[in-house]
Amino acid sequence: MNDDQSHFTTFNLSTDKMPLATEKSKKFSFDLPIAAFTAIWITACSGSGSGGEVSVVTSDDPPTPPPPPSTKTYEVESSQELQDALDAVQAGDTILIKGGHQYTSNYRFPGETIRGFTLANSGTAEAPIRITGDTSDDAPKPVIDQGIETKDEDTIVGIYLLCASHIVIENIEVRNTHSAGISSSLGDCESRGIKVSDTYIHHVYGYRNVGGIRLSRTSQVDISNNTIHDIYQSDREGSYPIITADSGEITEIAISQNHFYNSDTGVRLQVQNDKYLSDVSILGNQFELLDKAIVATSNSLDGSAPADSKLGELQIRDNLFLEAASAIDLDMGNVSEQSAGLDIVNNTFYDIERVAINLSGIVGIDIYNNIFSQIERDLLITRPSRQLDVSTAISEMDYNLFWHTDYSAATGPEWLLDLGGTNPQSFSSFGDWKSAFTDTLHAHLRADPDQFSEFDDPRFFDPENRDFTPQSMFAKTGGRHGEALGAFTGESKPGPANENQ
């Protein structure tokens, strides 16, 4: 990697010009405004309807039902065969990409600037188009390798979904691409029903708007069981999200059981202008060696006025945050609409350099059944909104477990309320924090926090091998309704069932 490139995000992010250092002491020595997952850069995506006569049914006979969807399978084992199949495929069809082969494409759809394997057809909710790697006979995943090694090349993604909806991409590897591994349209198109699973995406390069998976104006998204790492971007000025839209509601986003590592950001949610991003679940993922694991921001495109956008019903559950500078950073305080509904539940935070949770502009926040271990600086920060009608408020924070080998309940990392606001309060001991509302009546709290929480060693089973199953009795039974705490409960653990490498 060149010296002027830096780690970006597994989905889409911007970064400083320093790569992540391998030594822990250097790993988070920089402070980056990063982003992740998909591009915020919006381009016009033009579409045209087909002309022709309009027929009118005047008889009493029932209308003719539509033909059943196609169920054709295209078996491909060369780059040209793959693009030919993408051109021909219809709803209900499957493209089966032969494993053990490498595929590359410089194809550009007429009128587009993005190059790469391009799909401009759509499936339906009942009959999606499937792009599947054929790994029968123990063949390795098929590899889309565009041969990109630096940022100073043309935009060549792995798979470009051009105004395409109801698409399933599974069981492939995408590497050495420019701007994105998999990208939706970035213009006026609105897409639905995109699923990416069991896929390995790595070494994506670019100048701006770079992401492993980059989705714009896309609802009904399922990103699951993928491994994504080593995303590089040279420009640190922008912020680039997982899901974006110009207006309306973007909803039903599920990001689960993925492994994101060695980049700046894991997942970024960007809401702009007058849109509403809702029903988002980030469940069971492993975030590792990142500057920020999960980021949410909002802004207007031209920056002339506060955006009328908001975020609602976000669940962050059962995730492992491991060796990150910051884990959760949600800033919705620069908009004119109130964001509401955030659950941070059953997560394990381990070895966080700066801050575990940083929040602004959201109300209806519940934080419970989490394990916070080896947090080096701040456990929680709330910040003021920049708009008078938007506030920040934690409804419940309880049934959590806090621990650090070098501190006690009376010393160590802090809880900070209204940092940078008119009523900042800091709490450096666990006891002071538990009476924070009684002592200060702070507007960012609705009750005294962590009344049933403890400061104690969770006794993780084997943290060196990333098994953070707790052995302490409180961690096993001290959660709300007697539940276990943290992300390692029962037989499940964060990340893909099998690493996609």
Side-chain angles (χ1 to χ4, degrees), residues 81-276:
E81 287 179 351
L82 176 53
Q83 186 56 59
D84 289 343
L86 290 167
D87 291 339
V89 74
Q90 300 295 322
D93 289 346
T94 296
I95 299 175
L96 200 59
I97 309 174
K98 185 69 173 177
H101 292 253
Q102 186 168 300
Y103 304 81
T104 186
S105 173
N106 196 36
Y107 174 72
R108 181 172 62 83
F109 192 90
E112 292 295 310
T113 59
I114 296 177
R115 296 177 182 269
F117 290 106
T118 302
L119 174 61
N121 299 323
S122 291
T124 66
E126 298 76 18
I129 292 172
R130 292 184 175 272
I131 303 171
T132 303
D134 178 9
T135 54
S136 59
D137 301 324
D138 295 323
K141 283 180 168 62
V143 177
I144 294 177
D145 188 334
Q146 301 291 40
I148 302 297
E149 296 182 353
T150 73
K151 66 179 179 63
D152 298 317
E153 303 189 43
D154 292 336
T155 299
I156 304 178
V157 304
I159 298 177
Y160 180 32
L161 303 178
L162 176 56
C163 302
S165 291
H166 302 295
I167 309 298
V168 176
I169 300 172
E170 56 192 359
N171 204 37
I172 65 174
E173 179 179 350
V174 181
R175 69 189 186 199
N176 299 326
T177 64
H178 188 286
S179 297
I182 297 171
S183 179
S184 72
S185 303
L186 303 181
D188 294 334
C189 302
E190 292 197 9
S191 299
R192 306 179 74 82
I194 304 299
K195 179 177 181 179
V196 181
S197 65
D198 301 295
T199 290
Y200 179 33
I201 301 174
H202 59 103
H203 291 90
V204 179
Y205 303 86
Y207 178 63
R208 280 191 176 185
N209 311 307
V210 181
I213 299 174
R214 188 174 67 176
L215 302 177
S216 177
R217 306 186 68 176
T218 305
S219 292
Q220 297 174 349
V221 171
D222 183 351
I223 306 297
S224 58
N225 212 55
N226 304 287
T227 301
I228 305 177
H229 66 86
D230 284 278
I231 313 298
Y232 301 99
Q233 173 169 305
S234 58
D235 176 39
R236 59 167 291 177
E237 296 303 322
S239 61
Y240 317 105
I242 166 179
I243 302 296
T244 66
D246 285 331
S247 62
E249 182 174 6
I250 302 300
T251 186
E252 297 179 53
I253 312 299
I255 303 166
S256 61
Q257 302 298 142
N258 303 285
H259 187 189
F260 308 123
Y261 69 93
N262 208 37
S263 300
D264 278 342
T265 306
V267 173
R268 183 180 184 100
L269 307 173
Q270 180 78 28
V271 284
Q272 289 182 330
N273 290 354
D274 58 346
K275 63 188 170 295
Y276 179 27

